[in-house]
Amino acid sequence: MKIPYWHVDAFAFRAFTGNPAAVMFFDSLPEDDVLGAIAVEANLPATAFLSTETSGAADYDICWFTPASEIALCGHGTIAAGHAMLQQTGAEQVRFRTRTRGVVEVRRAPAGYELSLPVIETVEAERPEVEGLFGPEPQSIWLNPDRYGIYLFEDEQQLRSLEPDFEGLAKLGPDQFICTAPGDHTDIVSRVFAPGAGYHEDSVTGSAHSALAPFWAARLGREELTAHQASKRGGDLALRLDRQAGGGRVWLGGNCVTVAEGQFYLSG
């Protein structure tokens, strides 16, 4: 079986920056164990698997796998998939039906693309088990039941200096540890760690910004923000909070670069 394949750097204006993802299109998706094995073979932070959506709710069905497990919501994999499909079709927008998060949309924008994701709300909470695991202690902690956690630090310098205890964080489960602070050159800056989900530090995390947008909008008093994820590869995003949409949406703006395009051969 020959499967259309794209390797895309998401939230990037040049190759080898941003967050890499594989995008593959099937007429009909194989079983999840096959998808997981393909993700291991692709060996990228995420592989987005697409198939034609037949109910009329969206253009394609989408799901995402890391080399370790399936992901409930993957922002960079979705904007990469949107980039691949819009480049193929020439359309202005594309809609994807997810397995657990409803329909998400990617559309063209002046700076590349905008991705719409559902808002992830967090509430302030205590979490004594993370004490000492980041080095400096966060000023406050904000959690979501779906294992997203925001850890607020004093400034960008402190954020960049974090040296997490990845083994200790992994023992707490497949949480997304979203560390954030006011930015020096952008409104906000972040680093995202998820060792319990199979990766130490993510390069650019779309879903994390679905939590960061409402968190920082409440503090800064505006709903349009600039953001930088201070990973080794780095990435920049424009955030726009839309409370009028059903349940609230966050629009993530960024660009994508195709690094490779071809066919993935699946035998057996």
Side-chain angles (χ1 to χ4, degrees):
M1 185 186 298
K2 298 179 180 179
I3 305 159
Y5 168 88
W6 297 264
H7 176 141
V8 177
D9 284 346
F11 300 112
F13 284 93
R14 57 185 176 86
F16 317 125
T17 62
N19 205 356
V23 180
M24 299 187 190
F25 177 79
F26 291 79
D27 291 327
S28 179
L29 288 182
E31 297 298 320
D32 282 1
D33 60 341
V34 177
L35 299 181
I38 293 172
V40 171
E41 190 72 16
N43 197 32
L44 291 175
T47 299
F49 295 103
L50 308 181
S51 60
T52 302
E53 203 281 324
T54 57
S55 75
D59 301 296
Y60 303 95
D61 281 322
I62 190 169
C63 61
W64 316 268
F65 284 74
T66 73
S69 63
E70 185 176 5
I71 316 170
L73 180 66
C74 180
H76 91 276
T78 305
I79 201 169
H83 164 78
M85 294 299 100
L86 293 178
Q87 290 293 306
Q88 293 297 303
T89 65
E92 291 298 311
Q93 64 183 38
V94 60
R95 290 164 58 83
F96 300 102
R97 185 178 68 170
T98 72
R99 290 179 170 181
T100 62
R101 296 295 191 272
V103 174
V104 297
E105 178 183 343
V106 177
R107 66 189 187 190
R108 297 184 188 273
Y113 305 97
E114 280 192 321
L115 162 66
S116 170
L117 294 179
V119 164
I120 297 174
E121 300 285 3
T122 56
V123 296
E124 191 168 11
E126 300 289 332
R127 199 166 189 195
E129 61 268 33
V130 303
E131 185 175 348
L133 296 182
F134 297 111
E137 297 301 330
Q139 293 179 333
S140 62
I141 298 172
W142 298 68
L143 302 178
N144 174 279
D146 290 331
R147 309 194 78 105
Y148 295 93
I150 293 177
Y151 300 81
L152 178 63
F153 290 88
E154 182 178 354
D155 55 30
E156 181 168 333
Q157 180 179 355
Q158 186 181 56
L159 182 84
R160 288 180 179 273
S161 72
L162 298 180
E163 296 183 0
D165 176 347
F166 292 118
E167 183 177 350
L169 291 176
K171 291 178 180 177
L172 301 180
D175 294 47
Q176 197 175 96
F177 297 93
I178 307 165
C179 298
T180 189
D184 292 340
H185 304 289
T186 54
D187 292 320
I188 66 174
V189 64
S190 65
R191 295 175 68 188
V192 177
F193 310 108
Y199 56 94
H200 282 180
E201 182 169 4
D202 200 22
S203 294
V204 191
T205 317
S207 59
H209 287 85
S210 290
L212 288 169
F215 177 85
W216 280 106
R219 281 153 186 77
L220 299 179
R222 48 195 168 86
E223 298 188 338
E224 294 189 13
L225 306 166
T226 58
H228 177 71
Q229 192 155 329
S231 63
K232 183 177 180 179
R233 290 171 64 103
D236 296 296
L237 307 90
L239 309 181
R240 181 164 56 85
L241 185 62
D242 181 5
R243 290 292 192 183
Q244 302 304 313
R249 310 292 289 183
V250 178
W251 287 92
L252 312 179
N255 194 47
C256 293
V257 177
T258 301
V259 176
E261 180 179 350
Q263 293 179 325
F264 187 91
Y265 292 83
L266 182 63
S267 60

